[in-house]
Amino acid sequence: MSVSYSVSIDVPRLEDGLRFYRDALGMAEVARPVPTYVLLKCGDSQIGLIEKSAGSKPAQGTDDV
């Protein structure tokens, strides 16, 4: 049985987040469908980084920041 999932991580500055995940974890950029979102991959693992300012809400209708 194979399990598939998707993870997106909010980062305050996309280029800083990209640098960290690329340099520290060896992930490679495989797509940038919009200027504020990048898809990274390493082996079978894949994550998305989305640029959102610090203190922003993760979704509409929530009080979480």
Side-chain angles (χ1 to χ4, degrees):
M1 172 158 95
S2 176
V3 176
S4 177
Y5 60 91
S6 175
V7 174
S8 289
I9 300 170
D10 295 352
V11 293
R13 291 180 36 135
L14 189 61
E15 292 306 317
D16 291 343
L18 176 59
R19 188 176 311 107
F20 172 78
Y21 284 94
R22 182 185 57 224
D23 297 349
L25 302 177
M27 302 193 88
E29 181 176 339
V30 294
R32 194 179 296 222
V34 295
T36 57
Y37 182 80
V38 65
L39 187 60
L40 303 170
K41 185 170 183 154
C42 182
D44 291 337
S45 299
Q46 192 167 289
I47 64 168
L49 298 180
I50 187 165
E51 185 174 281
K52 292 183 87 173
S53 55
S56 62
K57 296 179 183 267
Q60 291 181 344
T62 182
D63 291 329
D64 294 338
V65 292

